[in-house]
Amino acid sequence: MSARIDITLMVNGERVSRSVEARRHLIDFLRLDLGLTGSHAGCEHGVCGACTVRVDGEIVRGCLVLAASLDGAEVTTIEGLTDSAEVADLQDAFVACNAAQCGFCSPGMVMAAADILRHHPTATREEIREHLSGNYCRCTGYQAIVDAVEQTLATRREDRR
Amino acid sequence: MNEIRTADSLGLSREDLPNSYIGRSVPRPNLPKLVQGRATYTDDVVLPRMLHAAFYRSPHAHARILSIDSAAAMLVPGVVRVFTGADIAKVCDPWVAVLAHLKGMKSAPQYALPLDRATWQGEALVAVVADSRAAAEDGVAALEVTFDPLPAQTDMATALAPGAVVIHPELGDNLAFQRTAVQGDVEAAFASAHKVVEARFVSARHTGVTLEPRSIIADFSRADDTLTVHLATQAPHMIQSVLATQLHLEEGRVRVICKDVGGSFGIKVHVYPDEVAVAAISRILGRPVKFIADRFESFGSDIHARDHVITGRIGVDAQGKILAFDIDDLTGIGPYSVYPRTSAVEGNQVVNLCGGPYDFANYRCSTTVVLQNKVPTCQYRAVGHPIATAVTEGLVDMAAHAIGMDPIEMRRRNMLRDDAYPYTSPAGMRFEGLSHHASLAKLLELVPVDRIRADQTAKRHKGVYRGLGFAAFIELTNPSPFMYGIGGARISAQDGATVRMDPDGSVVVASGVTEQGQGTETILAQIVAHGVGVAVNKVRVVTGDTQNTPYGGGTWACRGAGIGGEAALQSAIALKDQILHVAGTMLQASPATLDIMLGEVVDKTTGTPRISLAEIGRVVYFRGDTLPKDLPREFVQTRHYITKEYPFAFTNGIQACWVEVDTATGMVKVLEHWCVEDCGRVINPMLVDEQVRGGIVQGLGGALYEHCVYDEQGNLLTTTMADYLVPMAAEMPEIHVGHVETPTKESLLGAKGAGEAGTAGAPGALMNAINDALRPLGAVVTEQPFTPARILRALDAI
């Protein structure tokens, strides 16, 4: 448990070098070592999606990825996604639709929804629900979240015309 | 009473009355931080010299602890100290969770960590404290604990039988509480009934699964003898009182701070022994100690709920008039009643609520609350309501079927009339004003019953089984001291709000009610903005700090809006009066001729701006010398509110559920769901709708998937989210919400609670929908959760 591994990676566009325990999960690396507390540990076995972050362009579970495996990787968390304004419209739609209550799932939910915006610009309500089914929300009943994603998709399609 | 000027009451659109915020869908000001990852949950707080606790938890449902060897654990790098029950008991007293008004209730003394015996699997037995959570867990793994396993009492049905394992021998038996309510002549009513229908209902043990696990940092400072606790809780003042008492501290030297909370649903309104142990450890070490439950610990130590088996009978006459209900509830609550609200309340609620929406004369309902070696149960969202509603509405549907009456007509004939109030139910509940018939009418505007029935018939010909189910309900909100205070618990039914105007004309409100995502802070801002006369974005809200808010109960039992909101409204009105008084002096006008609109003092009749609040603030705070010497200028006003006329403000509503049952696989697909709810004055329709939707999904989850499964030895088999299933987006339907508003006349605001209605009604509506679908096949299900296996068994397919 004391074996440490040196890694250098890009996190939210900033170069980061750390020596990590081999067992250190990405979510703990982000929260404890880098102070990026926007991502949350909800179940720590890959079901709830609260720790969803982007690694090399794809969303992953921060609790299922070992930090030691990320030497040279590019990681984006909710903090970086927000700073880049990539999903500012989606975040505004979350606020307008009341698509968050306690907010503990919200950063992971926004990361997963951002993935829909990138890869599935014509997703239907049903496909949105399917895509978000790896992200547990105990508060909202999901409908407002689906509304927010659907509205953002529609607005973006409209803008592209 | 109830004469607040809202846009609706003046016949104006909300845009025409710019400072009208009550009844308006204002977006939540605290949402941007949540969706940007800038919230501060307890686990995000890091303090200097902070240690981390991890617990060794009992692997047995019932066992004597023979020895605890911490030598190897102490050698683990980072481990600071190991604490046993005896270590903690030196600074922390045990507690007994009973309430005086629940007559005959009994429970055993519970220690933060038990002294010599484990009574449920998952119970915290030993704490290891280290410089990181990982090191603390390594320390736990290195502990050597030996046990003498004892037989476990797990089945509630045998808890009182001869030969049962008596969990606490000093109590004599496993009976924690029993109550029977009787009204009228039940036997005579059944004897005269045209039809009597009987059924057995099971509501499975499930749990809250807040996405943020239970979280605490306790920080005792010897320098000033104060304990500061950062805690994810619904009731900071209650926890302050409990920790002070148990740890022998002055109440005023305990401060509970509660920043953002990741969901609560009742899970975070109780006193957890492991959290008290963390406070005791900090008291001993004089350092901050953090404990964040992991999900495995959550399943084995967060309260469970709803473990009820109920037999019920309904008697009706030939016209479908309900003559009597006779209901017998049995519930298992684990080895201890949970402090300080007790674990008898859910059973007690079943007795209070069965038959609630209906006009009938004869009632008998009993609850028997027994101990068992499982996780303790306690109040979870909609306490007792989903059980009482499913039993009542299940029986009503069965009776309707037995006499060949449409379920809607059956309800219409039996629901309490909308002009019947005030009314006292056979269970003794007093209703100030409900709207069952208006709510049913509104529901039928939303639900296309004819189209659904036509679709149902057409689909049946193709072997597709769809069903429509209804469930009417009542819900208990705005509790008075009759809920806990009269039983001796230091839980405030009163709440306060302090409203202050700062020099720039902005307003701050500090409130004793708390926010866990419901939107409490938003509605407080709306109410204060409305009451004072400022734009809602000029109001800042402070909650969740015992040192900086008026004393109050917090947020539970749907009291945030109704109790906390009224205190906020009254303090806002008091501040407005004070501002107008000063403004009148400055303007040499009568305060009665002035009003405040969006931060400007205006002429009441013409609306002409006279002076801004910022200018008044400048003069009062910086040039008070220019005002008359005797002019009061108290720009901080506090008001408190407590309900006095009724023990509870009841709300009501009705839900409908439309499902498809796959008779080959037993899978249930919820196609659509509707709810009409009357929570009194709606402060923010968007937030209420989302409360209702979230509550419905929680109710559907419990009725379809969620189940804390135990084996006979008391081993909990569902300890991950892969085993304990919760509803996700794809399984859940579109939900339509409508409102009827019957404001309570007890308060100016008129608000009742809205947070639990969805959960109260959804399981019953779903059950009736499934049984409507299965009726042509002769199958009936009454045991939740309605899993594929249970449905296939009902169909005799397996």
Side-chain angles (χ1 to χ4, degrees):
Chain A
M1 70 192 79
S2 56
R4 299 190 83 89
I5 292 156
D6 293 336
I7 54 171
T8 296
L9 64 162
M10 297 294 282
V11 179
N12 297 330
E14 296 171 18
R15 185 184 312 279
V16 169
S17 294
R18 290 287 190 282
S19 175
V20 297
E21 276 191 287
R23 65 179 179 177
R24 191 66 134 187
H25 286 108
L26 174 57
I27 184 63
D28 290 338
F29 176 69
L30 294 171
R31 289 182 54 82
L32 303 177
D33 297 343
L34 304 185
L36 293 167
T37 53
S39 308
H40 301 136
C43 73
E44 297 178 85
H45 46 255
V47 178
C48 80
C51 60
T52 304
V53 295
R54 205 182 268 171
V55 174
D56 294 335
E58 298 298 326
I59 51 171
V60 301
R61 309 285 191 185
C63 70
L64 297 183
V65 175
L66 292 170
S69 69
L70 295 178
D71 188 45
E74 210 167 295
V75 176
T76 306
T77 68
I78 187 67
E79 289 90 347
L81 195 70
T82 301
D83 288 348
S84 75
E86 178 190 321
V87 292
D89 54 348
L90 175 71
Q91 288 166 319
D92 289 346
F94 264 63
V95 174
C97 297
N98 198 43
Q101 286 187 24
C102 81
F104 204 78
C105 76
S106 302
M109 199 65 86
V110 168
M111 294 297 304
D115 202 57
I116 302 178
L117 298 181
R118 267 156 55 115
H119 298 306
H120 309 283
T122 60
T124 62
R125 274 185 88 78
E126 207 160 66
E127 287 163 346
I128 294 167
R129 282 186 179 273
E130 197 61 48
H131 198 94
L132 294 178
S133 271
N135 291 74
Y136 168 57
C137 169
R138 189 54 142 177
C139 302
T140 64
Y142 299 107
Q143 190 160 326
I145 298 172
V146 179
D147 290 345
V149 178
E150 188 183 40
Q151 285 176 22
T152 308
L153 283 172
T155 308
R156 285 194 178 191
R157 283 197 299 266
E158 199 66 29
D159 291 348
R160 236 175 263 127
R161 274 195 201 143
Chain B
M1 282 188 281
N2 293 110
E3 295 302 314
I4 337 177
R5 193 181 57 166
T6 64
D8 282 348
S9 72
L10 297 178
L12 297 169
S13 79
R14 283 176 179 133
E15 290 66 34
D16 290 336
L17 188 59
N19 222 126
S20 171
Y21 289 108
I22 292 173
R24 198 192 281 205
S25 290
V26 175
R28 284 174 60 202
N30 45 0
L31 277 200
K33 78 173 176 187
L34 301 182
V35 299
Q36 294 178 19
R38 290 299 303 268
T40 308
Y41 301 95
T42 299
D43 193 23
D44 301 335
V45 176
V46 175
L47 300 177
R49 289 188 82 214
M50 188 168 77
L51 296 171
H52 300 261
F55 291 94
Y56 181 99
R57 292 179 182 275
S58 176
H60 301 287
H62 196 190
R64 191 159 301 285
I65 304 166
L66 296 179
S67 66
I68 298 168
D69 183 348
S70 59
M74 286 302 295
L75 296 177
V76 171
V79 169
V80 171
R81 205 152 145 186
V82 175
F83 293 86
T84 64
D87 298 328
I88 301 294
K90 285 175 193 159
V91 300
C92 182
D93 290 343
W95 53 84
V96 179
V98 295
L99 289 167
H101 65 299
L102 299 176
K103 290 193 175 52
M105 186 180 182
K106 57 187 199 262
S107 184
Q110 185 176 18
Y111 288 81
L113 301 178
L115 300 181
D116 54 9
R117 194 164 56 104
T119 51
W120 83 85
Q121 188 190 62
E123 182 178 16
L125 304 181
V126 187
V128 177
V129 180
D131 61 7
S132 71
R133 168 76 186 203
E137 288 186 24
D138 291 341
V140 167
L143 284 173
E144 288 183 30
V145 185
T146 60
F147 295 93
D148 175 18
L150 300 169
Q153 180 61 45
T154 57
D155 183 1
M156 65 169 109
T158 61
L160 302 178
V165 176
V166 176
I167 295 172
H168 301 291
E170 69 270 29
L171 300 181
D173 58 27
N174 292 322
L175 182 65
F177 178 65
Q178 201 160 31
R179 178 188 159 207
T180 301
V182 180
Q183 181 69 37
D185 188 339
V186 174
E187 286 313 322
F190 278 106
S192 71
H194 171 66
K195 285 278 184 197
V196 174
V197 178
E198 180 168 348
R200 176 179 181 273
F201 300 89
V202 175
S203 173
R205 179 177 266 262
H206 48 260
T207 185
V209 200
T210 58
L211 188 52
E212 179 209 33
R214 290 189 294 108
S215 307
I216 183 172
I217 303 168
D219 182 11
F220 182 74
S221 168
R222 291 192 193 106
D224 51 8
D225 212 28
T226 57
L227 176 67
T228 305
V229 177
H230 298 257
L231 181 67
T233 181
Q234 300 169 238
H237 285 101
M238 181 196 88
I239 295 291
Q240 174 192 30
S241 175
V242 169
L243 290 178
T245 305
Q246 302 312 126
L247 294 170
H248 300 258
L249 295 164
E250 289 174 33
E251 203 160 295
R253 292 193 178 272
V254 178
R255 178 182 180 186
V256 178
I257 298 171
C258 170
K259 295 189 175 171
D260 293 306
V261 178
S264 52
F265 320 114
I267 297 299
K268 294 171 182 167
V269 77
H270 308 297
V271 171
Y272 286 92
D274 50 14
E275 294 174 12
V276 178
V278 168
I281 290 167
S282 177
R283 175 100 166 86
I284 294 167
L285 295 178
R287 292 175 69 170
V289 182
K290 179 187 271 191
F291 166 65
I292 311 294
D294 67 23
R295 190 55 57 188
F296 179 77
E297 292 182 292
S298 300
F299 281 113
S301 64
D302 288 9
I303 59 114
H304 292 179
R306 313 267 204 268
D307 202 359
H308 291 247
V309 176
I310 299 179
T311 52
R313 279 196 300 163
I314 185 173
V316 298
D317 72 13
Q319 285 72 49
K321 165 84 184 136
I322 297 170
L323 303 176
F325 282 101
D326 181 11
I327 288 158
D328 190 10
D329 170 49
L330 174 66
T331 176
I333 59 162
Y336 296 98
S337 167
V338 172
Y339 198 65
R341 290 162 195 262
T342 85
S343 306
V345 169
E346 183 150 73
N348 200 48
Q349 293 285 59
V350 170
V351 176
N352 287 339
L353 297 170
C354 279
Y358 298 109
D359 181 6
F360 64 100
N362 305 292
Y363 185 59
R364 179 168 58 208
C365 186
S366 67
T367 186
T368 301
V369 180
V370 300
L371 303 177
Q372 52 183 181
N373 292 113
K374 295 182 180 177
V375 172
T377 72
C378 205
Q379 282 74 291
Y380 165 54
R381 195 176 197 172
V383 192
H385 293 70
I387 301 158
T389 303
V391 169
T392 303
E393 292 299 87
L395 288 171
V396 166
D397 256 27
M398 290 173 189
H401 178 62
I403 61 170
M405 186 175 286
D406 180 83
I408 298 170
E409 181 57 24
M410 181 80 179
R411 285 174 174 79
R412 195 177 278 132
R413 288 189 184 196
N414 285 287
M415 282 171 162
L416 284 167
R417 295 192 328 271
D418 288 357
D419 62 359
Y421 307 98
Y423 179 87
T424 300
S425 78
M429 298 293 104
R430 291 170 56 213
F431 304 144
E432 182 203 19
L434 302 174
S435 61
H436 289 295
H437 289 271
S439 297
L440 174 61
K442 181 98 182 182
L443 185 81
L444 294 176
E445 288 171 19
L446 301 175
V447 182
V449 176
D450 292 341
R451 183 171 63 71
I452 283 175
R453 290 295 183 204
D455 173 75
Q456 183 178 35
T457 308
K459 289 281 189 313
R460 275 180 192 168
H461 292 309
K462 296 176 183 162
V464 174
Y465 291 87
R466 291 183 166 186
L468 179 64
F470 297 89
F473 60 90
I474 56 170
E475 190 211 330
L476 176 159
T477 78
N478 292 3
S480 72
F482 280 82
M483 191 147 192
Y484 295 114
I486 59 162
R490 289 170 68 87
I491 299 172
S492 177
Q494 173 182 285
D495 239 287
T498 295
V499 175
R500 136 184 138 225
M501 191 191 98
D502 283 341
D504 66 347
S506 67
V507 174
V508 177
V509 53
S511 170
V513 294
T514 53
E515 166 86 86
Q516 301 93 36
Q518 304 92 329
T520 312
E521 294 190 353
T522 306
I523 60 135
L524 290 173
Q526 286 179 253
I527 291 165
V528 168
H530 189 112
V532 176
V534 297
V536 72
N537 63 6
K538 297 293 182 195
V539 181
R540 296 285 175 273
V541 183
V542 179
T543 64
D545 183 346
T546 55
Q547 201 156 292
N548 287 313
T549 64
Y551 201 92
T555 298
W556 43 271
C558 286
R559 67 188 297 284
I563 309 284
E566 178 69 8
L569 180 60
Q570 294 298 344
S571 56
I573 291 170
L575 176 62
K576 179 180 186 175
D577 285 350
Q578 188 69 186
I579 294 168
L580 288 180
H581 192 74
V582 172
T585 302
M586 290 173 71
L587 298 168
Q588 301 195 330
S590 160
T593 66
L594 302 171
D595 198 358
I596 307 176
M597 198 64 87
L598 293 176
E600 296 275 341
V601 173
V602 299
D603 186 277
K604 201 173 205 167
T605 47
T606 65
T608 311
R610 301 290 305 277
I611 187 171
S612 70
L613 296 191
E615 177 59 12
I616 295 173
R618 184 190 70 80
V619 170
V620 164
Y621 285 104
F622 308 121
R623 289 306 309 273
D625 59 302
T626 64
L627 297 170
K629 281 192 179 112
D630 58 352
L631 179 72
R633 55 202 81 172
E634 298 298 334
F635 284 2
V636 182
Q637 292 287 332
T638 298
R639 293 293 182 275
H640 290 85
Y641 179 67
I642 186 168
T643 54
K644 298 187 185 89
E645 302 293 326
Y646 285 83
F648 311 102
F650 275 91
T651 71
N652 67 279
I654 183 163
Q655 298 189 20
C657 186
W658 174 226
V659 303
E660 182 173 313
V661 183
D662 186 327
T663 53
T665 64
M667 295 287 285
V668 174
K669 172 78 183 160
V670 183
L671 302 170
E672 230 167 325
H673 198 101
W674 298 263
C675 177
V676 171
E677 204 235 356
D678 183 348
C679 61
R681 174 115 48 209
V682 173
I683 299 162
N684 184 322
M686 177 169 70
L687 298 192
V688 172
D689 286 1
E690 279 307 297
Q691 280 295 301
V692 171
R693 289 197 179 98
I696 286 169
V697 165
Q698 228 162 37
L700 293 176
L704 281 174
Y705 315 116
E706 298 182 38
H707 191 183
C708 298
V709 180
Y710 277 91
D711 70 11
E712 285 176 9
Q713 285 75 45
N715 295 304
L716 180 59
L717 305 179
T718 47
T719 55
T720 74
M721 290 186 68
D723 303 301
Y724 184 97
L725 303 181
V726 291
M728 303 298 262
E731 297 94 59
M732 287 298 108
E734 300 289 324
I735 298 167
H736 313 276
V737 183
H739 301 285
V740 172
E741 291 187 57
T742 310
T744 171
K745 295 186 180 68
E746 271 213 60
S747 67
L748 180 61
L749 185 61
K752 307 186 238 183
E756 302 176 276
T759 311
L766 174 77
M767 177 178 72
N768 286 344
I770 293 171
N771 288 331
D772 186 52
L774 298 181
R775 194 158 287 124
L777 303 169
V780 179
V781 287
T782 54
E783 185 166 346
Q784 298 177 39
F786 303 112
T787 59
R790 286 194 172 126
I791 286 175
L792 292 177
R793 242 177 268 132
L795 289 164
D796 279 331
I798 55 172

